[in-house]
Amino acid sequence: MRFFEDIAIGQRRELGSFTFTAELIKKFAAQFDPQPFHLDEEAGRRSLFGGLAASGWHVGSVYMKLLVADGQRQAKEAAARGEKVAVWGPSPGFRELRWIKPVLAGDTISYASEIESLRSSEKRPEWGIVQGRNSGTNQRGELVFSLLATAFVPRRNSGA
Amino acid sequence: MRFFEDIAIGQRRELGSFTFTAELIKKFAAQFDPQPFHLDEEAGRRSLFGGLAASGWHVGSVYMKLLVADGQRQAKEAAARGEKVAVWGPSPGFRELRWIKPVLAGDTISYASEIESLRSSEKRPEWGIVQGRNSGTNQRGELVFSLLATAFVPRRNSGA
């Protein structure tokens, strides 16, 4: 994980890809979003989605999974180079989550994160506040998912 | 599910409660958010959260679970009364998701939904657009989770 000083507006990271199989879509839906079009191919085909569709919360949770994996990969690489690793603060939430197009069984979604704004924290000068536009794009290059995330990121000399 | 005409600003529904056990917190985290403070009691105690904490996406996914169950319950009750049941459109997303306080192992979160705004859809006059403030409150009455959701809701005479 990077320090506030190492982050610039427009920086983009590819977080990785994930294929939403029918089995995984149904498993998540059975636990958290048991609507017919998330559970059954035929009900999905008859719905506005036009096929078995992943729950939006599944699409978001997979973004989190890949974000965490990317952060752990970055931390490992930085440690291997003997660099200090920044420990980011917990996320206070996010804004403007959009489910733009359905994610259907068999779709592969590639997630990316792009820095949109940087500012200092007035209350806590040892932290910076980073906003990133996070997105998911399907195998046809169509944007399917987007959210604007906020993170508290330590400054290099903050002691974090 | 209700029709647009049946919904009024300020209407509140209790969606139900859920207890986040250590086992469920770890199970979700292992799949979608494998950060130490979501996976291990001791790492949680040493973190800013002060204990084994549920992933924010878990807190959100459980909201979805209870929202769906409440909708299905309402639909069943309306059908039993011989009333027409409205079929809501898919959610385009939401705004202002906030993780306000940690949800720790053993916490019971009660979710509720309150109508905040109503407007007509200009493009599709057969639909209304409803915004609802959805929240989660713990057993001490502290607000822990909030989001502003948008839904397309059919009008009574739209044929939906």
Side-chain angles (χ1 to χ4, degrees):
Chain A
M1 304 287 267
R2 291 165 293 163
F3 286 93
F4 188 65
E5 289 82 352
D6 306 328
I7 298 173
I9 289 174
Q11 274 177 353
R12 183 182 164 92
R13 277 191 75 83
E14 304 300 327
L15 301 175
S17 295
F18 185 88
T19 298
F20 287 81
T21 64
E23 190 190 344
L24 291 172
I25 287 173
K26 292 177 195 178
K27 194 178 155 197
F28 186 96
Q31 268 190 285
F32 295 114
D33 195 349
Q35 300 185 78
F37 38 73
H38 298 323
L39 286 170
D40 179 76
E41 276 84 354
E42 186 47 37
R45 269 193 292 274
R46 286 193 315 260
S47 76
L48 281 175
F49 298 126
L52 181 71
S55 165
W57 289 92
H58 192 188
V59 176
S61 295
V62 167
Y63 148 72
M64 191 70 212
K65 174 195 181 78
L66 295 177
L67 184 74
V68 169
D70 181 65
Q72 292 175 342
R73 204 160 41 229
Q74 284 186 66
K76 204 176 275 182
E77 289 167 8
R81 290 191 302 266
E83 290 172 15
K84 211 172 150 190
V85 175
V87 179
W88 287 30
S91 170
F94 51 79
R95 294 196 299 141
E96 298 172 27
L97 184 143
R98 296 194 192 114
W99 291 305
I100 299 153
K101 277 181 176 284
V103 172
L104 301 182
D107 280 355
T108 297
I109 307 303
S110 300
Y111 293 83
S113 180
E114 192 167 328
I115 305 299
E116 210 169 271
S117 79
L118 296 170
R119 67 177 198 276
S120 300
S121 169
E122 279 175 33
K123 283 189 198 159
R124 304 177 184 174
E126 71 277 23
W127 293 90
I129 300 170
V130 175
Q131 279 204 324
R133 174 73 56 184
N134 296 272
S135 61
T137 305
N138 68 18
Q139 67 278 11
R140 291 179 297 280
E142 297 164 328
L143 189 67
V144 299
F145 169 76
S146 165
L147 67 79
L148 189 60
T150 304
F152 284 87
V153 179
R155 290 175 180 276
R156 195 167 276 285
N157 299 314
S158 67
Chain B
M1 304 285 267
R2 291 164 294 164
F3 286 93
F4 187 66
E5 289 82 354
D6 306 327
I7 299 173
I9 290 174
Q11 274 177 353
R12 183 182 165 93
R13 275 191 77 83
E14 304 301 327
L15 300 175
S17 295
F18 185 88
T19 298
F20 287 80
T21 64
E23 189 190 344
L24 291 171
I25 287 174
K26 292 178 193 178
K27 193 177 155 199
F28 186 96
Q31 269 190 283
F32 296 113
D33 195 350
Q35 301 186 78
F37 38 73
H38 297 324
L39 287 170
D40 179 76
E41 276 85 354
E42 186 47 37
R45 267 192 293 273
R46 286 193 316 261
S47 76
L48 281 176
F49 299 126
L52 180 71
S55 166
W57 289 91
H58 192 187
V59 177
S61 295
V62 167
Y63 148 70
M64 190 69 213
K65 174 195 181 77
L66 295 178
L67 185 74
V68 169
D70 181 65
Q72 292 175 342
R73 204 160 40 229
Q74 284 186 66
K76 203 177 278 182
E77 288 166 9
R81 290 191 302 264
E83 291 172 17
K84 212 171 147 190
V85 175
V87 179
W88 288 29
S91 169
F94 51 79
R95 294 195 299 141
E96 299 173 25
L97 184 143
R98 296 196 192 113
W99 291 304
I100 298 152
K101 277 182 177 282
V103 173
L104 300 182
D107 280 355
T108 297
I109 308 303
S110 299
Y111 294 82
S113 179
E114 192 166 329
I115 305 299
E116 209 168 271
S117 79
L118 295 170
R119 66 179 199 273
S120 301
S121 168
E122 279 175 33
K123 284 188 197 161
R124 304 179 185 173
E126 71 276 24
W127 292 91
I129 300 170
V130 175
Q131 279 202 326
R133 174 74 56 184
N134 295 272
S135 61
T137 304
N138 68 19
Q139 67 278 11
R140 290 179 297 279
E142 299 164 326
L143 189 68
V144 298
F145 169 77
S146 165
L147 67 78
L148 190 60
T150 305
F152 284 87
V153 179
R155 290 174 180 278
R156 195 166 275 285
N157 298 316
S158 67

